[in-house]
């Protein structure tokens, strides 16, 4: 069985979506499937290790249909760089259909990860005789608003979803949603967040001063960074014991920079919060192996009701105790005071109390971290989930 994964982003830039696609690919490949990840285009940035248009990445075959070994936005003025970017984008979509026509006998499964409804519709029509699978890690158009969101969602539900043979849903709420929209006509499998460790687990390091880690966005709307820092500052002032907060990413790039600085000043935690900027995978792993705590501060909204924060699996796998708002799919896997510290969404006092509990009861915190790693190994392993996915795809091929 050969599986083609169509991925709309770049595999080499290490974002959450790329990590999930790679986990799918590695899991399927370890189970005996042949896998190739096909992407529209990419520009090679200066701070990224050079790579070829097609080859292998972490042992998985990949191909960029349209490729430029430099970033035009770093090389040319605004007008020229935008013209290059637009032309490469449209060229890549033409090359997709050439790829389908010239490789139509070389694969059995087409696994699509996040393209526009129009392009997805065309891809599906060009692959009518293949097993067509949709990755569903979030409810469609969650980032839009009002009538525009509802219109685009209805179009996808009415014209695109019926063309798929199956769906891979990341959460129970998404499984229920797609079951209702397809009327039980499509096969559905739930595959939770995945994590593929870079290497076998290494013993945790013990830094002189314990620290929190945050390696998500510096956005209040997405990751609740302002509230997170406020709770950290309040708990630190009430406890009056030393602990730090290491945050990857650049404060200058945050849309909430001013609010973040205001919170840091309000609670006088300038000497306890450190923005690390861009870090390599090796540096990130080192930070995570030294971290005692991480906070996943998600609001109770539509997006978080349906999705499952992928960062959780990375934190748990590296044996970091997690404090999380009790929302969405987390409730189906985690148990309060066993493998997580839960608090109610938007409950600032609840978050502060979790931080104080974790920082004053070290034995409990370490046991929660150990239990969290065990959960990740049992439930979020790319190897275990890859075997399930491989069997699921083979059954679909048999029934096609």
């Amino acid at each position: 069985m050969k599986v083609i994964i169509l991925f709309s982003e770049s595999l080499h830039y290490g974002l959450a979506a790329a990590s999930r696609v790679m986990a799918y690919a590695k899991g399927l490949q370890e189970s005996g499937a042949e896998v190739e990840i096909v992407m529209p285009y990419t520009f090679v940035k200066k701070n990224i290790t050079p790579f070829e248009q097609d080859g292998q990445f972490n042992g998985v075959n990949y191909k960029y249909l349209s490729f430029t070994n430099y970033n035009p936005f770093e090389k040319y003025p605004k007008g020229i760089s935008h013209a290059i970017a637009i032309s490469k984008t449209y060229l890549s979509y033409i090359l997709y259909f050439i790829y389908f026509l010239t490789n139509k006998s070389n694969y059995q499964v087409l696994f699509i990860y996040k393209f526009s409804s129009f392009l997805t519709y065309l891809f599906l029509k060009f692959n009518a005789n293949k097993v067509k699978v949709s990755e569903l890690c979030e409810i469609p158009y969650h980032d839009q608003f009002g009538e525009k969101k509802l219109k685009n969602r209805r179009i996808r539900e009415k014209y695109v979803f019926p063309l798929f043979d199956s769906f891979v849903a990341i959460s129970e709420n998404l499984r229920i949603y797609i079951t209702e929209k397809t009327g039980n006509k499509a096969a559905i499998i739930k595959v939770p967040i995945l994590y593929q460790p870079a290497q076998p687990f290494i013993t945790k390091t013990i830094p002189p001063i314990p620290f929190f880690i945050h390696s998500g966005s510096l956005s209040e709307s997405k990751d609740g960074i302002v509230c997170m820092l406020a709770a950290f500052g309040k708990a630190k002032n009430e406890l009056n014991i030393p602990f730090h907060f290491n945050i990857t990413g650049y404060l200058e790039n945050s849309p909430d920079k001013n609010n973040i600085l205001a919170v840091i000043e309000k609670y006088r935690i300038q000497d306890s919060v450190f923005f690390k900027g861009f870090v390599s995978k090796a540096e990130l792993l080192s930070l995570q192996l030294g971290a005692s705590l991480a906070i996943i501060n998600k609001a109770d909204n539509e997006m978080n009701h349906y999705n499952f924060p992928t960062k959780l699996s990375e934190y748990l796998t590296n044996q970091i105790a997690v404090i999380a708002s009790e929302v969405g799919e987390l409730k189906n896997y985690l148990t309060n005071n066993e493998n997580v510290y839960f608090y109610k969404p938007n409950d600032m006092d609840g978050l502060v109390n979790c931080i104080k509990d974790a920082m004053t009861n070290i034995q409990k915190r370490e046991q929660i971290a150990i239990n969290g790693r065990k959960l990740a190994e049992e439930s979020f392993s790319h190897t275990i989930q890859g075997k399930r996915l491989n069997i699921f795809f083979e059954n679909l091929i048999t029934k096609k």
Side-chain angles (χ1 to χ4, degrees), residues 87-317:
S87 63
K88 296 289 282 186
T89 301
Y90 283 103
L91 172 63
S92 68
Y93 295 135
I94 294 172
L95 292 174
Y96 260 120
F97 300 107
I98 295 174
Y99 177 87
F100 293 146
L101 291 171
T102 56
N103 292 274
K104 59 184 179 180
S105 62
N106 294 337
Y107 59 95
Q108 293 77 43
V109 179
L110 188 72
F111 191 9
I112 299 180
Y113 191 106
K114 289 179 68 174
F115 282 86
S116 71
S117 291
F118 177 70
L119 282 171
T120 303
Y121 181 87
L122 293 180
F123 292 163
L124 294 172
K125 286 296 187 180
F126 262 72
N127 289 274
N129 63 333
K130 305 295 183 182
V131 171
K132 301 172 291 297
V133 185
S134 172
E135 211 280 348
L136 196 63
C137 62
E138 55 195 22
I139 192 165
Y141 302 103
H142 67 86
D143 54 347
Q144 295 182 0
F145 302 94
E147 185 58 34
K148 180 181 180 181
K149 174 172 74 173
L150 296 177
K151 178 183 177 182
N152 286 333
R153 190 175 290 173
R154 283 195 296 265
I155 289 172
R156 198 167 188 90
E157 291 169 351
K158 184 175 182 179
Y159 298 106
V160 179
F161 284 167
L163 299 180
F164 280 105
D165 300 298
S166 64
F167 295 84
V168 178
I170 199 173
S171 70
E172 182 63 16
N173 287 332
L174 278 174
R175 188 195 67 77
I176 294 170
Y177 160 78
I178 199 61
T179 299
E180 292 174 347
K181 297 305 176 182
T182 59
N184 285 314
K185 294 180 181 179
I188 301 168
I189 184 173
K190 187 173 83 167
V191 176
I193 51 176
L194 299 173
Y195 185 58
Q196 178 201 348
Q199 57 192 43
F201 179 72
I202 303 172
T203 304
K204 296 283 288 184
T205 57
I206 303 176
I209 298 175
F211 65 85
F212 290 61
I213 187 169
H214 175 70
S215 51
S217 73
L218 300 184
S219 164
E220 178 64 15
S221 61
K222 184 176 181 181
D223 283 329
I225 184 66
V226 177
C227 179
M228 194 187 301
L229 282 168
F232 171 84
K234 187 175 181 180
K236 183 172 176 60
N237 289 339
E238 290 179 8
L239 290 176
N240 197 29
I241 60 176
F243 52 94
H244 292 164
F245 207 148
N246 288 325
I247 301 172
T248 63
Y250 294 100
L251 178 59
E252 293 297 321
N253 296 336
S254 171
D256 297 292
K257 173 187 172 182
N258 291 336
N259 290 332
I260 290 172
L261 290 174
V263 164
I264 290 174
E265 183 177 357
K266 176 181 177 180
Y267 291 101
R268 302 182 304 280
I269 50 175
Q270 292 90 338
D271 295 335
S272 301
V273 178
F274 304 97
F275 294 93
K276 298 293 186 177
F278 174 82
V279 298
S280 68
K281 287 186 176 181
E283 291 170 323
L284 179 60
L285 178 61
S286 178
L287 281 171
Q288 290 178 339
L289 288 174
S292 298
L293 277 164
I295 301 172
I296 296 179
N297 183 32
K298 298 292 186 180
D300 190 4
N301 55 30
E302 181 189 63
M303 180 178 68
N304 294 325
H305 176 71
Y306 285 100
N307 73 2
F308 197 175
T310 55
K311 190 59 61 180
L312 174 68
S313 62
E314 193 171 320
Y315 290 153
L316 295 182
T317 302

Side-chain angles (χ1 to χ4, degrees), residues 373-390:
R373 180 163 67 91
K374 183 179 179 181
L375 170 69
E377 291 171 346
E378 293 174 350
S379 298
F380 306 144
S381 162
H382 75 284
T383 300
I384 294 172
Q385 297 297 337
K387 289 177 182 177
R388 292 181 62 235
L389 205 54
N390 190 65

Side-chain angles (χ1 to χ4, degrees), residues 325-342:
S325 53
E326 192 175 9
V327 61
E329 187 69 5
L330 286 87
K331 297 182 293 185
N332 294 329
Y333 287 88
L334 299 171
T335 302
N336 190 34
N337 291 321
E338 180 180 318
N339 45 33
V340 71
Y341 296 93
F342 265 146

